Amino acid sequence: MRRPRVPDAVTGDVDAVIAGWKHELPDLDFSPLEVFSRMRRLGQALQVERARAFERAGLETGEFEILSRLCVAPHGMSTPSELAALTHTPSATMANRTDRLEQRGYVARKWNPDDTRSRIVRVTPEGRAVAEQAMRELVAAEVRMLDALSEEQRARLVELLRILGAERPPT
């Protein structure tokens, strides 16, 4: 039996890699690998597109995450610890990011009247404007990534991903 061609690591075609492994381990069901290898590659491509979208708006990914959370928070405000938990970010990293955002005029910090040991971070009008620009860039990039799917296929994909995500606790 002729062995299927396995491409080099740069091209890494999922079907060819799986075909090679099916030849090596014919007793294994590789359907999970077919799904998750594609999801991983799509995730990598999405991260690149997200970073480019945020860069066009003058933001880093972590900065956008903070502004995004603040834009949808009640009154555009949150505490640094809440933001750190929501974005899965260590507190020291959160402090550095909010410092940079404050220096650029995108957020303002004030002492928390309910807890004088903590502060409240509020998105400014400038921060909201740059977050909205970044969100528009992001949605445009993601629309391009989904162009090959019909509306029905997109809805089905969302449904399937919700099912998979429901079985996993957030990290």
Side-chain angles (χ1 to χ4, degrees), residues 17 21 29 39 55-56 58 83 95 106 130 134 152 154 160 169:
V17 171
W21 275 107
D29 172 15
M39 287 175 65
E55 186 179 305
R56 287 190 291 272
L83 289 169
Y106 296 156
V130 77
E152 285 178 12
R154 289 180 193 190
L160 293 170

Side-chain angles (χ1 to χ4, degrees), residues 136-147:
R136 289 179 189 284
E137 294 282 351
L138 173 61
V139 170
E142 291 181 357
V143 164
R144 287 189 299 273
M145 289 183 75
L146 292 172
D147 270 347

